[in-house]
């Protein structure tokens, strides 16, 4: 099975090289790498062109888009692989991640989507490992999987569609919810597959994220009173988490089963 890895970029020069390197260093699998730029004005394009000139696995475009969902969809439309992974321009794949995912799909051909663990980092400092909970029990109240550590069969996108361009913050959640409701098979791989930096839109605008998520769940048939309950619950939890981050008390966050300490982690 071949991979199509997609990275959307927009003025991403600060961390893009590390992301590109983490993709190109993957071994033991066949893949193409699609860089979808929204018209950067910093050094992003220079970085992309430099790597594309020496590695023919890279394909790229640079043109205005309608936001990150549009960039995701452009990459999906251009992709030629059997499996699609999306890694943002400030995140990283762990060494050997694609080989582990390929093995999982080969051993479990019924899987439509394989997802694994993710390391959250602040700057260059690892904080904790995020281990997803059961998809079925979490799907209606929060994003149940780690998006950078998720790989989907291309056939699922062809059958069930891509990202909703009408959403600005929860497009990945809405897509996962749609795949779940369609009966797609989610397979958890208990390995560390990706690293994600703090500082994205979902970290800095968690109130807006929860409001958009509430609208998505209600529109998908979830009872409004339940959606409002989870909105309030996660708003309070998000406020507490932000306070703990700002005061450096990450150890307290590790008490939650979703956040695992670094010591003793399985690679």
């Amino acid at each position: 099975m071949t991979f199509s890895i997609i990275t959307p970029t927009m003025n991403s020069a600060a961390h893009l090289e590390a992301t590109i390197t983490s993709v190109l260093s993957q071994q033991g699998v066949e893949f193409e790498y699609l860089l979808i730029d929204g018209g950067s004005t910093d050094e992003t394009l220079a970085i992309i062109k430099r790597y594309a000139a020496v590695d023919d696995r890279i394909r790229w475009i640079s043109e205005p888009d309608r936001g990150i969902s549009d960039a995701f969809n452009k990459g999906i439309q251009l992709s030629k692989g059997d499996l699609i992974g999306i890694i943002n321009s400030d995140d990283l794949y762990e060494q050997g991640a694609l080989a582990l995912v390929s093995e999982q799909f080969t051993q479990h051909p019924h899987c439509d989507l394989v997802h694994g663990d993710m390391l959250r980092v602040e700057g260059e400092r690892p904080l904790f490992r995020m281990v997803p909970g059961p998809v079925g029990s979490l799907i209606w109240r929060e994003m149940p999987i780690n998006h950078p550590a998720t790989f989907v069969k291309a056939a699922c996108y062809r059958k069930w569609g891509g990202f909703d361009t009408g959403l600005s913050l929860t497009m990945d959640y809405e897509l996962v919810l749609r795949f779940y409701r369609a009966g797609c098979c989610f397979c958890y791989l208990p390995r560390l597959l990706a690293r994600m930096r703090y500082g994205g839109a979902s970290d800095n605008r968690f109130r807006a994220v929860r409001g958009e998520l509430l609208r998505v769940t209600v529109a998908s048939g979830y009872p409004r009173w339940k959606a409002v309950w989870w909105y309030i619950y996660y708003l309070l939890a998000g406020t507490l988490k932000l306070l703990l981050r700002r005061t450096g008390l990450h150890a307290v966050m590790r008490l939650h089963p979703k956040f695992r300490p670094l010591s003793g982690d399985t690679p």
Side-chain angles (χ1 to χ4, degrees), residues 7-16 19 35-45 47-48 61-69 71-72 74 87-90:
T7 293
T9 65
M10 183 61 186
N11 294 333
S12 305
H15 301 293
L16 180 57
T19 303
L35 290 137
I36 311 299
D37 183 68
S40 292
T41 57
D42 65 355
E43 294 300 309
T44 294
L45 280 180
I47 294 170
I48 291 174
I61 60 172
S62 181
E63 61 187 22
D65 56 42
R66 294 175 293 155
I68 194 168
S69 292
F72 288 158
K74 287 181 180 182
I87 187 81
N88 287 333
S89 57
D90 53 356

Side-chain angles (χ1 to χ4, degrees), residues 85-145:
I86 297 175
I87 187 81
N88 287 333
S89 57
D90 53 356
D91 300 333
L92 307 168
Y93 282 140
E94 292 292 317
Q95 287 291 327
L98 298 193
L100 288 170
V101 172
S102 178
E103 181 181 6
Q104 182 80 348
F105 273 110
T106 299
Q107 293 180 353
H108 305 280
H110 62 285
C111 294
D112 295 305
L113 182 154
V114 167
H115 65 105
D117 297 350
M118 179 179 74
L119 193 67
R120 289 307 306 258
V121 299
E122 187 105 56
E124 302 301 325
R125 182 166 66 101
L127 298 178
F128 42 74
R129 178 173 180 156
M130 294 186 68
V131 178
V135 173
S137 61
L138 295 176
I139 188 67
W140 288 104
R141 58 185 187 180
E142 66 175 56
M143 179 63 163
I145 62 179

Side-chain angles (χ1 to χ4, degrees), residues 198-212:
Y198 271 114
S202 61
D203 294 320
N204 297 324
R205 299 177 59 193
F206 70 89
R207 291 180 179 84
V209 169
R210 293 308 311 183
E212 195 171 272

Side-chain angles (χ1 to χ4, degrees), residues 22-261:
S22 80
V23 175
L24 297 181
S25 63
Q26 298 294 314
Q27 297 181 352
V29 295
E30 182 180 345
F31 66 88
E32 63 174 357
Y33 189 22
L34 304 170
L35 290 137
I36 311 299
D37 183 68
S40 292
T41 57
D42 65 355
E43 294 300 309
T44 294
L45 280 180
I47 294 170
I48 291 174
K49 291 176 180 179
R50 174 155 48 87
Y51 279 92
V54 296
D55 197 316
D56 60 9
R57 293 174 296 182
I58 294 177
R59 290 192 288 142
W60 63 276
I61 60 172
S62 181
E63 61 187 22
D65 56 42
R66 294 175 293 155
I68 194 168
S69 292
D70 190 29
F72 288 158
N73 290 338
K74 287 181 180 182
I76 292 167
Q77 291 165 5
L78 291 170
S79 65
K80 299 177 180 178
D82 305 301
L83 308 171
I84 295 177
I86 297 175
I87 187 81
N88 287 333
S89 57
D90 53 356
D91 300 333
L92 307 168
Y93 282 140
E94 292 292 317
Q95 287 291 327
L98 298 193
L100 288 170
V101 172
S102 178
E103 181 181 6
Q104 182 80 348
F105 273 110
T106 299
Q107 293 180 353
H108 305 280
H110 62 285
C111 294
D112 295 305
L113 182 154
V114 167
H115 65 105
D117 297 350
M118 179 179 74
L119 193 67
R120 289 307 306 258
V121 299
E122 187 105 56
E124 302 301 325
R125 182 166 66 101
L127 298 178
F128 42 74
R129 178 173 180 156
M130 294 186 68
V131 178
V135 173
S137 61
L138 295 176
I139 188 67
W140 288 104
R141 58 185 187 180
E142 66 175 56
M143 179 63 163
I145 62 179
N146 299 310
H147 191 240
T150 298
F151 300 83
V152 182
K153 285 182 176 176
C156 291
Y157 288 108
R158 290 193 294 268
K159 186 172 184 180
W160 304 111
F163 291 83
D164 186 343
T165 56
L167 299 172
S168 59
L169 296 168
T170 60
M171 66 292 291
D172 51 350
Y173 169 78
E174 189 278 334
L175 182 82
V176 169
L177 176 60
R178 192 178 345 129
F179 285 170
Y180 176 81
R181 295 178 67 211
C184 292
C185 180
F186 288 63
C187 294
Y188 170 56
L189 174 61
R191 301 297 295 271
L192 186 61
L193 301 179
R195 298 187 178 211
M196 183 178 183
R197 299 177 192 273
Y198 271 114
S202 61
D203 294 320
N204 297 324
R205 299 177 59 193
F206 70 89
R207 291 180 179 84
V209 169
R210 293 308 311 183
E212 195 171 272
L213 191 145
L214 184 152
R215 294 193 295 274
V216 168
T217 54
V218 171
S220 299
Y222 196 56
R224 178 175 291 275
W225 72 268
K226 288 186 178 180
V228 170
W229 160 255
W230 290 120
Y231 170 79
I232 296 171
Y233 173 87
Y234 282 102
L235 203 62
L236 294 173
T239 301
L240 177 60
K241 185 172 73 170
L242 183 62
L243 176 63
L244 293 174
R245 278 186 56 211
R246 288 178 174 174
T247 55
L249 298 176
H250 298 100
V252 177
M253 294 171 65
R254 294 179 188 134
L255 296 175
H256 193 286
K258 184 176 180 179
F259 305 101
R260 300 289 177 82

